[in-house]
Amino acid sequence: MTRTSGTGTQAVGRALDILHCFHDNAPDLSASELARRLELSTSTAHRLARALLDAGFLEQDHRTARYRLGPAVTELGRLSYHQRGLHLVSPELTDLAERTGATADLALRSGPYAVIVAGGSVTPRVGLRRPLHSTALGKVLLAWPRPGEGGAETLPPLPAFTDRTIVSPALLAAELEQVRTRRYAVNDGESAQGIRTVAVPVLDHLGAARFALALRGTPALITDERREWFVDQARACAWALEVLLLPPAERRRAAERDM
């Protein structure tokens, strides 16, 4: 990232860039590796890392001098997880996965990525970010953007992951129109060979996708003939999550309206 504003803002931006270096699930990074990723001098990267270390956002292995995410990140992450109500969704996703035999995932949008926040794909070995343009989760989040997020026109150049990946902005825009019309998205080998995914929106009160809910499997599991059944199962779960993930006061009002 290039920072062009004042010195203080630039320093904050660079410190945040240091934290973003760990998005690909890197277990730990040295100051020189951080510098190389961000095109900074090693001394600058070291200084920024030390400031984050002092604030608890990084911690350091004293044997290797390598950095990893610190306890302050864990604390804020857990607080955000609970504030969003995500601790409530695990039973719903587990039931959905058991009922369908597919992997169930819940994601939200972060810039050009869908970030998986709950479900079967949340594992220590695999990163949580997925490109928006090549995933069913991402297409849903693009098709029903929240205020300020924007659609396909806001994305950087679209990389290809397989020969099925949509890399043309015009074709992606047309695909998103189809997603809105049928009210679900499909990823059929666009992000990885042999993977088929269907996804539906978890809408907020404005009709925007607060989250996307996906079922992922192989084409042998999610067949063309059974695809609508998987969509129906995902949609029923999404409707439940729309109420479950409301703020407590709104959830009570929704329950009272249903009585």
Side-chain angles (χ1 to χ4, degrees):
M1 298 182 186
T2 301
R3 312 288 175 178
T4 58
S5 52
T7 303
T9 302
Q10 184 183 59
V12 171
R14 284 178 169 176
L16 292 174
D17 287 346
I18 292 281
L19 295 177
H20 283 299
C21 284
F22 295 88
H23 268 138
D24 63 358
N25 207 30
D28 50 28
L29 295 168
S30 67
S32 61
E33 288 169 335
L34 293 169
R36 185 166 58 254
R37 290 186 178 208
L38 299 177
E39 299 181 352
L40 299 172
S41 68
T42 300
S43 61
T44 298
H46 178 73
R47 184 172 67 253
L48 292 167
R50 292 297 302 181
L52 291 167
L53 178 69
D54 291 342
F57 287 94
L58 291 180
E59 60 184 17
Q60 189 176 37
D61 187 321
H62 294 292
R63 297 172 301 159
T64 64
R66 298 172 72 85
Y67 296 97
R68 54 180 172 262
L69 294 175
V73 175
T74 303
E75 179 184 4
L76 292 175
R78 293 298 296 174
L79 285 171
S80 175
Y81 188 81
H82 280 265
Q83 287 170 357
R84 292 177 182 273
L86 294 170
H87 59 294
L88 302 173
V89 309
S90 181
E92 299 290 339
L93 296 182
T94 298
D95 178 69
L96 178 63
E98 291 177 348
R99 191 165 63 250
T100 62
T103 299
D105 290 320
L106 189 71
L108 50 71
R109 182 172 174 179
S110 178
Y113 297 99
V115 179
I116 297 175
V117 292
S121 294
V122 179
T123 66
R125 186 174 56 85
V126 181
L128 305 180
R129 292 173 133 201
R130 304 289 187 271
L132 292 175
H133 72 287
S134 64
T135 59
L137 287 166
K139 291 176 191 176
V140 162
L141 294 168
L142 284 170
W144 289 277
R146 304 187 80 188
E149 288 182 337
E153 73 283 355
T154 65
L155 298 182
L158 310 178
F161 300 102
T162 74
D163 59 359
R164 294 189 175 189
T165 307
I166 297 174
V167 296
S168 162
L171 291 178
L172 180 59
E175 172 76 2
L176 296 180
E177 280 298 323
Q178 292 186 26
V179 170
R180 283 186 284 268
T181 298
R182 66 191 179 212
R183 300 197 67 79
Y184 70 88
V186 178
N187 164 17
D188 195 359
E190 296 168 50
S191 56
Q193 298 287 354
I195 298 297
R196 181 174 288 173
T197 308
V198 295
V200 298
V202 179
L203 299 172
D204 62 17
H205 67 289
L206 298 174
R210 185 180 178 194
F211 299 96
L213 173 65
L215 285 171
R216 177 172 55 85
T218 65
L221 176 66
I222 305 177
T223 62
D224 292 339
E225 294 77 16
R226 298 192 70 210
R227 186 170 73 181
E228 292 292 339
W229 180 82
F230 281 93
V231 171
D232 288 343
Q233 298 302 308
R235 192 172 282 144
C237 184
W239 288 337
L241 294 183
E242 286 176 10
V243 175
L244 192 64
L245 293 172
L246 286 172
E250 293 184 33
R251 192 159 62 243
R252 285 195 296 272
R253 286 195 292 270
E256 290 168 358
R257 286 197 300 270
D258 293 338
M259 291 178 62

